[in-house]
Amino acid sequence: LKQIKKAVFCELIESWEEAQVLPKELREKLNKEVPLKIDAEIFESRDNQSAKALLKLEDGQRVETVLMRHEGGRNTVCVSSQIGCPLACAFCATGKLGFKRDLKDYEIVEQVLFFARYLKQQNEKVTNIVFMGMGEPFLNYDNVMSAVKVLNDKDGFNLGIRKISISTSGIVEGIKKFAEEGLAVNLAISLHAPNDELRQKLMPVGKKYLIKDVLEAVDYYIEKTNRRVMFEYIMIDGINDTDDLAKELAKLLRGRLCFVNLIPYNETDMFTGSTDNRISRFKDILMERGLQAIQRYRFGADIDAACGQLARKRGEL
Ligand code: SAH
Ligand code: SF4
């Protein structure tokens, strides 16, 4: 098993034939029963900074995975945890697809392997993983945790636990359970609005989990782990990007071990993204009020990089 893990996750073999340490009969058996080939279509952005893969799974379903290449050799893979998503956020292309099924742990791992093999050809590595693709990770909790453990395994892929981040729309039970795992995985919360009224318009799940309950779970996580939490806030033109909402957000989050990540909205036919000037202004208001805030770099607009966009456009799901 140790040799197999090394071959698959370190040497990144694509066929068992390459695993010369294994006996020939075993290689043939493995090739037949558990082939290593990953069936995928790849779309590369013109600037070569991002790529999106559409993986075909054994039941014919397709799932999206995105690679983001940052300066200095940082390569982040954005993985999906479900096919579609049951939570139907108004701004999200995945939400519009509806829910098909949970992904198995190995289907999550496979997404990372695909880009690890791709990067190997360019002498590069996957350095970070974010669960920000299709689906809600905390509604598929066990498979997500199992995949995290495989990717972190010292004898296998060996990606540092601090290099992995999970984003949730605010599933309170999931956040609490996660706090108790004792794992130094990063937690990101999709907030997108500083009050329940607006949040519920954008995210129906906000009716089940009020902001105060989400924040209480987040505080429990911080208390347990002493780790800084990221609040994600997509910037949608005229909807959640006004000065007043920035002030309200600063007031809501102040005093926590956290920072706000302002995400340029990847345009869909539902909404338009805020201008860069608006995002800067919003960020300044948060910073003036003592909150840490960063403005996320815009990736892959030409390859419909926000998850669900591609499958939706192609009518795949
Ligand atoms: N379901 C989880 C994780 C997947 S979505 C969650 O909602 O957190 C990952 C992030 O992408 C979320 O913050 C989500 O709000 C954001 N997102 C969805 N559609 C987007 C779009 N078109 N442009 C930018 N970000 C988007
Ligand atoms: Fe699901 Fe996250 Fe999209 Fe909402 S934003 S529909 S929770 S994937």
Side-chain angles (χ1 to χ4, degrees), residues 107-246:
E107 292 170 330
I108 297 173
V109 171
E110 192 174 87
Q111 299 171 47
V112 180
L113 264 191
F114 176 81
F115 275 123
R117 292 178 186 175
Y118 172 89
L119 287 168
K120 187 186 166 196
Q121 292 163 6
Q122 302 163 35
N123 275 326
E124 286 201 46
K125 282 187 161 176
V126 172
T127 61
N128 298 70
I129 296 172
V130 294
F131 283 80
M132 294 184 186
M134 302 167 100
E136 168 51 52
F138 284 170
L139 291 182
N140 186 15
Y141 192 91
D142 292 343
N143 281 303
V144 166
M145 283 309 147
S146 164
V148 164
K149 282 170 193 158
V150 170
L151 294 164
N152 177 238
D153 182 358
K154 293 274 170 299
D155 297 328
F157 198 68
N158 195 21
L159 187 80
I161 200 82
R162 290 183 164 74
K163 305 287 182 179
I164 302 175
S165 306
I166 297 182
S167 170
T168 177
S169 57
I171 308 293
V172 166
E173 302 85 356
I175 300 170
K176 287 187 179 157
K177 201 164 165 195
F178 187 57
E180 283 157 9
E181 293 282 344
L183 286 176
V185 176
N186 301 303
L187 176 65
I189 305 286
S190 294
L191 194 61
H192 307 325
N195 60 64
D196 286 315
E197 198 194 341
L198 178 59
R199 189 164 191 265
Q200 288 169 7
K201 279 190 194 143
L202 296 171
M203 307 176 72
V205 68
K207 292 180 197 140
K208 182 160 183 204
Y209 303 108
L210 299 180
I211 292 177
K212 71 171 179 26
D213 298 327
V214 174
L215 291 183
E216 194 191 295
V218 166
D219 289 341
Y220 178 66
Y221 168 89
I222 295 173
E223 190 192 304
K224 280 268 178 197
T225 62
N226 203 28
R227 295 188 66 73
R228 185 178 297 271
V229 169
M230 172 165 98
F231 287 96
E232 295 163 273
Y233 198 101
I234 44 176
M235 297 292 291
I236 311 178
D237 184 40
I239 305 281
N240 66 352
D241 63 350
T242 63
D243 287 2
D244 281 348
L245 289 170

Side-chain angles (χ1 to χ4, degrees), residues 7-8 78 99 106 126 156 193-194 198 202 212 224 246 248 277 308 316:
V8 174
C78 176
F99 174 64
Y106 59 84
V126 172
L198 178 59
L202 296 171
K212 71 171 179 26
K224 280 268 178 197
E248 203 179 336
N277 273 346
E316 293 282 358

Side-chain angles (χ1 to χ4, degrees), residues 85-89 91-96 133-136 169 190 192 203:
C85 180
L87 299 181
C89 298
F91 48 78
C92 175
T94 301
K96 291 277 172 285
M134 302 167 100
E136 168 51 52
S169 57
S190 294
H192 307 325
M203 307 176 72

